[in-house]
Amino acid sequence: MTSFGNLKPVASSNLRALRQPSESRHAQQQQNYNASRKARTRGVRKVLEVLNLPFDVFYEVASHLNPIDLLQLSRASKDLRSFLLSRKSRPLWSTVFKNIVPQMPACPEHISEPRYAHVVFERTCDACGVDRSVKVDYATPVRFCGACWKTNVKKGRVLAQEAGIKKTERDEIFCLLPKAGSSGYKPVATLDQRATDVFYEPDFKAVVQRHRQLLRSKEQDTLQGFLDERRELSMRRLNFQHAVIEWEWETRKQREQEDRDHMNERRSAIEEKLRELGYEPSDYPSYGRDFNSMLHQPRKLTPRIWNTIRPKLIKILDDERQKRADTAFRNKWWKRIKQFKNHYTAFLQQDRDKELEKRTLPGFEDAFAQALDLIPAAEPDADVTQEELTAFETAVLKHADEYRARVRGSLVELVQQASSLSPAQPPQKAQRTTRGKKGKGKRKASRSDDSEDSAGEETSSLEAECALLDAHTSLFACRIISYGPACRGPMSYLDLMEHWQHCHGSMRWSTDRVQCVNGDLTHVAALVTAMELPADSTLMKIREVIHNGRPECACGRYRGDLDLGTVPPYQHFARVLAHVENRSCGYAPATPHHITFKPGP
């Protein structure tokens, strides 16, 4: 039987292997290589000890390996390579292929066992050597990356034109080798390969070259034998590809079934352990992605895994219980809660222009915690009394400073993260020494000094937070788009608090829905210049000037009195800044602006 060895494939010029990595990635790769070099050398030395084993012992040990393990073992040294890749090791390869379950198709005669193991189990491109190469053809057999596949596998029409084959001879040539990229989902009974099919170019050229040699020799018997032999070989190779694809499909189904079994076993084990902790399946969240990802994994539950996921599962279940309890509470007392909410909304709007502190009060969802004791004070159908409403207002005002401090602290962390700044270190207490005896009076004086120092630290911390939030770069934008233009920024932190109260009072405050936009200093500086304010003016000062007057620009494209009654106050700063940035002005970007203010309404 005449067969042709695969000519060496051509590596594509558009390769991942030829792309130069970045300096940081190259440095990381070099560091990882140096760190593992010693470990690799020690591992190779241990592997080379198998050369000292007697042949029968080595054969017995190696016969329990998988084909991919034996292939990698052959790369450990030249001696192992010369032995394991020689013909006298074929019985050993045949034995290790039988270790695969389900049973693999037998290795055909036109390829060697190591080549068979490489194409099936490894993902390395035969041309350029990059990993994660998924383009494979078992009939040839070759494996390529996407770029090398396009370089070495071409349509029969293109190959025939390049080789100068006549159209009358093309159908005969196309049947002398298997087409590449065949799905292989059904056995091949007849060869019906056309010019639209793709073929491995080196094999195609070798077949065409041999065919022309026989044509020139004018030996009809030899030519006919060659044609019959090549057609039969192509049929066997295509059917071999079908067998390998069928084996891969069966292997995949078996692996998926094993994963499902392990997943069910893991879920049952976790449910049993959670029952011991007092949690039933009815307590599980309905749509918990993190919770389900820990339950539904194709890995058995080990003590180490359980110790890792147990605190996470308990936290999720406790949060789910609390969420369901809150929902049940709201469903039961919905009438009184609605009355408290309506009254609080009216309370926030009453004398809002005079009592400016109301603009930074919490929304109803954050203020709802102050009404938890007042809501169940009567029957669910009972109306809220005036005394209860007054008590609710008093409680909200009492805890307003705590809410403002929490919001400021979270926004300060957001600014620091956006600016890549390390969190500010709290000031350290100064060490004091006392002289004389340590009597009770001394101890009382020390406690008094500690309280004074604590108050001083809180004051300095508040000043530091306000100074950071008043900087020109401390601008924020809302990431919730449900209110459309009302959520657009940029806004100062006070405008953001008012916006949250006005638009998102039904949600608890969270910086997950807020973005620090890191305002451009040049734009804020241009706004300060246009308003004729000192260069060191803070955002608080700019905001105060804008809110206390009606801004008008000399360009004639902006009049603040048109915003009265249509634009909420927390949007005035954003609109003036957008005008200075020429985002709402029809003039060229270099247009100068001069903003004056008329007395407010």
Side-chain angles (χ1 to χ4, degrees):
M1 182 181 66
T2 305
S3 61
F4 300 101
N6 297 333
L7 300 180
K8 185 176 181 180
V10 180
S12 173
S13 59
N14 185 19
L15 293 179
R16 289 179 286 165
L18 299 179
R19 298 173 189 172
Q20 294 295 331
S22 61
E23 295 183 1
S24 58
R25 184 176 180 182
H26 178 73
Q28 183 66 29
Q29 291 175 351
Q30 187 66 27
Q31 182 179 359
N32 296 339
Y33 174 80
N34 294 335
S36 59
R37 183 176 181 180
K38 184 176 181 180
R40 289 199 308 271
T41 304
R42 183 168 57 251
V44 170
R45 291 175 180 173
K46 292 182 179 180
V47 172
L48 294 180
E49 294 179 0
V50 301
L51 296 176
N52 300 326
L53 296 175
F55 176 77
D56 55 345
V57 176
F58 172 77
Y59 187 93
E60 180 64 24
V61 173
S63 63
H64 294 279
L65 299 176
N66 288 331
I68 184 62
D69 300 327
L70 192 63
L71 181 62
Q72 293 176 352
L73 181 63
S74 66
R75 298 165 180 166
S77 69
K78 293 182 178 179
D79 294 336
L80 287 172
R81 178 182 179 85
S82 61
F83 170 70
L84 293 177
L85 299 187
S86 61
R87 290 185 176 273
K88 61 183 179 182
S89 297
R90 296 196 68 177
L92 177 60
W93 283 97
S94 301
T95 303
V96 298
F97 271 105
K98 295 179 181 179
N99 296 333
I100 302 298
V101 178
Q103 188 66 42
M104 293 182 63
C107 181
E109 297 180 357
H110 65 277
I111 60 174
S112 63
E113 286 82 358
R115 178 69 180 173
Y116 186 22
H118 161 70
V119 174
V120 174
F121 295 106
E122 293 189 323
R123 296 295 182 267
T124 305
C125 178
D126 292 340
C128 63
V130 300
D131 297 329
R132 301 187 297 276
S133 301
V134 296
K135 294 288 187 178
V136 61
D137 179 51
Y138 296 119
T140 304
V142 289
R143 180 179 290 275
F144 293 124
C145 62
C148 292
W149 178 270
K150 294 180 181 180
T151 303
N152 294 274
V153 179
K154 300 179 181 179
K155 285 188 175 183
R157 182 192 309 109
V158 177
L159 294 175
Q161 291 177 354
E162 293 178 352
I165 302 175
K166 298 178 181 180
K167 292 184 178 181
T168 56
E169 301 177 354
R170 291 182 180 182
D171 293 341
E172 182 181 41
I173 297 295
F174 292 151
C175 293
L176 299 182
L177 73 163
K179 61 183 178 180
S182 174
S183 60
Y185 290 120
K186 59 181 180 179
V188 178
T190 58
L191 288 176
D192 184 17
Q193 301 182 153
R194 304 176 181 178
T196 55
D197 296 325
V198 293
F199 299 90
Y200 181 48
E201 185 176 10
D203 269 2
F204 186 87
K205 291 181 177 180
V207 169
V208 171
Q209 180 181 2
R210 180 58 178 167
H211 183 262
R212 287 176 174 174
Q213 290 176 355
L214 295 176
L215 285 177
R216 287 194 296 267
S217 65
K218 298 181 180 181
E219 299 178 0
Q220 295 297 328
D221 295 339
T222 305
L223 176 61
Q224 188 62 37
F226 170 76
L227 296 177
D228 295 340
E229 180 183 356
R230 292 300 305 181
R231 293 192 188 99
E232 181 184 0
L233 179 60
S234 299
M235 187 85 68
R236 290 203 307 268
R237 290 166 69 175
L238 289 174
N239 287 324
F240 169 72
Q241 172 158 289
H242 165 71
V244 175
I245 293 177
E246 285 290 325
W247 170 80
E248 287 183 335
W249 179 250
E250 293 295 331
T251 304
R252 188 180 301 110
K253 290 195 300 183
Q254 180 177 347
R255 187 183 303 113
E256 291 175 354
Q257 183 61 41
E258 293 176 355
D259 291 344
R260 284 193 293 268
D261 295 340
H262 292 160
M263 191 179 302
N264 295 332
E265 182 181 352
R266 176 191 179 98
R267 181 183 177 89
S268 300
I270 293 178
E271 289 179 352
E272 183 64 27
K273 290 183 177 295
L274 290 177
R275 284 193 184 95
E276 297 175 359
L277 297 175
Y279 299 97
E280 296 295 333
S282 58
D283 297 328
Y284 299 169
S286 302
Y287 302 99
R289 180 190 303 176
D290 296 338
F291 185 83
N292 292 331
S293 65
M294 287 185 282
L295 257 67
H296 303 94
Q297 286 192 13
R299 289 186 294 177
K300 293 184 179 180
L301 184 67
T302 62
R304 180 179 179 181
I305 294 177
W306 171 246
N307 293 333
T308 302
I309 67 175
R310 179 178 56 185
K312 301 177 182 179
L313 294 174
I314 292 177
K315 183 180 184 304
I316 293 175
L317 293 175
D318 290 342
D319 293 343
E320 182 66 18
R321 281 184 174 180
Q322 183 63 36
K323 180 181 178 181
R324 294 180 180 180
D326 293 342
T327 302
F329 180 84
R330 292 173 183 270
N331 293 336
K332 180 179 180 180
W333 303 93
W334 68 271
K335 180 179 179 180
R336 290 174 61 83
I337 292 174
K338 184 177 180 180
Q339 292 180 1
F340 272 107
K341 182 176 182 180
N342 294 337
H343 174 76
Y344 187 66
T345 303
F347 168 73
L348 292 177
Q349 298 301 324
Q350 184 180 4
D351 297 331
R352 190 178 184 87
D353 295 335
K354 297 179 180 179
E355 301 177 8
L356 299 181
E357 65 275 2
K358 284 189 176 182
R359 298 183 177 182
T360 56
L361 288 177
F364 179 75
E365 194 63 28
D366 286 297
F368 179 71
Q370 311 306 326
L372 291 179
D373 296 335
L374 299 174
I375 290 175
E379 295 298 326
D381 295 336
D383 293 332
V384 179
T385 63
Q386 185 60 39
E387 291 77 7
E388 292 173 337
L389 295 176
T390 304
F392 177 55
E393 295 177 6
T394 304
V396 171
L397 294 175
K398 180 180 179 181
H399 296 84
D401 290 339
E402 297 179 5
Y403 169 77
R404 296 187 182 103
R406 179 164 62 89
V407 173
R408 282 196 305 267
S410 60
L411 291 179
V412 166
E413 293 180 359
L414 196 63
V415 172
Q416 291 173 344
Q417 293 175 3
S419 304
S420 301
L421 297 176
S422 59
Q425 296 293 335
Q428 299 181 356
K429 296 181 180 180
Q431 297 182 355
R432 297 182 305 277
T433 57
T434 57
R435 298 180 181 178
K437 299 181 179 180
K438 297 182 180 180
K440 293 183 178 179
K442 293 290 184 180
R443 188 177 296 113
K444 291 181 180 180
S446 177
R447 292 175 181 174
S448 177
D449 293 342
D450 291 342
S451 62
E452 292 177 359
D453 291 346
S454 177
E457 291 174 5
E458 293 179 358
T459 303
S460 61
S461 176
L462 175 61
E463 293 176 354
E465 290 180 354
C466 293
L468 179 59
L469 295 177
D470 280 340
H472 290 180
T473 55
S474 298
L475 297 177
F476 305 93
C478 180
R479 300 173 62 180
I480 305 174
I481 61 175
S482 58
Y483 276 76
C487 294
R488 295 175 182 173
M491 294 178 279
S492 65
Y493 82 98
L494 293 177
D495 291 334
L496 179 64
M497 294 177 66
E498 184 178 0
H499 162 75
W500 193 273
Q501 177 201 107
H502 181 261
C503 295
H504 311 301
S506 59
M507 295 183 293
R508 300 292 299 270
W509 165 260
S510 174
T511 53
D512 294 340
R513 301 178 177 93
V514 177
Q515 178 182 2
C516 181
V517 297
N518 272 353
D520 192 345
L521 290 175
T522 58
H523 294 157
V524 181
L527 176 61
V528 172
T529 303
M531 295 173 58
E532 296 183 347
L533 294 177
D536 57 349
S537 298
T538 62
L539 288 180
M540 180 74 71
K541 178 63 176 177
I542 301 173
R543 177 179 177 273
E544 179 182 357
V545 173
I546 293 176
H547 285 197
N548 291 337
R550 292 180 296 173
E552 290 187 1
C553 186
C555 70
R557 294 301 183 99
Y558 182 79
R559 289 180 58 186
D561 54 353
L562 299 179
D563 294 338
L564 296 178
T566 59
V567 179
Y570 55 81
Q571 282 287 309
H572 291 174
F573 173 81
R575 291 176 67 87
V576 176
L577 183 61
H579 176 73
V580 174
E581 294 176 0
N582 293 287
R583 288 191 284 117
S584 62
C585 181
Y587 288 100
T591 301
H593 297 280
H594 179 65
I595 300 177
T596 57
F597 292 87
K598 293 182 178 181

